[in-house]
Amino acid sequence: VGTYKPEMLQKKNAVLVDGVVLNGPITDSKAGEKFVEEACKIIMEEVIQKANDVTEKVCEWQAPETLKTILDLEMRDTGESHRKLLQLCQDVIQYSVKTSHPRFFNQLYAGMDYYSLVARFITEALNPSVYTYEVSPVFLLVEEAVIKKMIEFIGWKEGDGIFNPGGSVSNIYAMNLARYKFCPEIKEKGLSGLPRLVLFASEECHYSMKKAASFLGIGTENIYFIKTDERGKMIPEELEKQVQRASKEGSAPFLVCATAGTTVLGAFDPLDEIADICEKHGLWLHVDASWGGSALISKKHCKLLHGIHRADSVAWNPHKMLMAGIQCCALLVKDNSGLLKKCYSAQAAYLFQQDKFYDVSYDTGDKSIQCSRRPDAFKFWLMWKALGTAGLEERVNRALALARYLAEEIKKREGFQLLLEPEYANVCFWYIPPSLRKMEEGPEFWQKLHLVAPIIKERMMKKGSMMLGYQPHQGKVNFFRQVIISPQVSREDMDFLLDEIEQLAKDL
């Protein structure tokens, strides 16, 4: 596809510069088109058509050294044949985890949305970058429309926003934005001369808060982690105490990061009470709703985020519960005075010229820390257009109903024990194998139970029957975290999950 043919040298008026033929393209378009056509057929047959087939394996487990050999990863001086490349495509699909499988429960994303998938095909083929209207007119308007609609669901009358490569990046954006609002001179003068800045987040917050504080030069020691209750929610009284403590120490509190849908337990912080404290002390309130934000779409479950309209910024990932396809993550900001642009703008003259022939307010790329940026909002937009708000709401309601069904089934089965009643789509539980069921719950019991989940996880992956995450957490030994997202998942899959754990662990 990428080489010129010797006969090109025989062309009339052939032009060579430094030994390179400049006449005509060097790409064999017909061969390239044929390769794309054949590769798309493989994708259709091996990925899309098998996505709902529970008889297929979730993963074809291979050890790293074995997989290296199978895939033939070495790059060579000469290109491979199309036949070999198509086989590599087959191998990549075969040995990758099938995240669209109905029994992939491992992460906070799962399933396949056909509309967002088509949107990704389109954007991959067009290969746009969303920074100026002149190169990305459609996708800039789409992003504007999607952000406006998301802002409505938060409950703001106006606002601003930008799509980012991940909720972690959205949290970094928000932390930096809050700091800029607190001390705008930092953009030019840097960290020197600033007071000791302090921010507050719950013990259950996402680990990206530590990364953000480290990356921005705030320092992880300057995050005051607030105690949580037995359900994993930030305790407002503890937040008030820590804000007062920081002030007495001579520090400068500037930000509170609340969480709407914690990663492990799926807990929602009491946003209204936290907002009261932020207003009292003049603190920026950021809500990391990367996981739980999609509950805003549901009239039944939006109460989980009561008070979110009082936030100054919100991180929300439609690629999670709403299945917009990785990656699709928005940072939304209540301020509509251009704060995002003031904070992040570098005014590159070669890109953001002010004397263009159109309205340059549509050149929104200067609000971003990136230059090249993917049109991630398009996936969400096309899916939303296809399903309507009612269809998205149905996804949320069904996922939470299935979580409730699974929790009730766990209560009925010997050997299964819930950690707590699920508030969202996270169902956390232990499986206690037969050999431990009559043992007293002392140190030895918990030490042995800690070993159970990793063994079951290894067995399910090597069998390929399903994928389910586990972890220790806040002093509790390893337990399973079942996350329900995909509309392809059914009650039968919930029953299978419990049956399969029992089957895999019957000898433990």
Side-chain angles (χ1 to χ4, degrees), residues 272-285:
D272 237 359
E273 296 171 70
I274 292 169
D276 288 340
I277 295 168
C278 290
E279 284 186 10
K280 176 182 175 182
H281 295 283
L283 303 175
W284 182 285
L285 174 57

Side-chain angles (χ1 to χ4, degrees), residues 35 121 175 208 249 307 323 329 333 348 389 398 423 442 465 472:
F35 177 74
F121 287 164
M175 193 177 292
S208 60
E249 291 172 349
M323 300 171 56
C329 313
V333 182
T389 303
R398 190 169 189 275
E423 186 173 30
S465 56

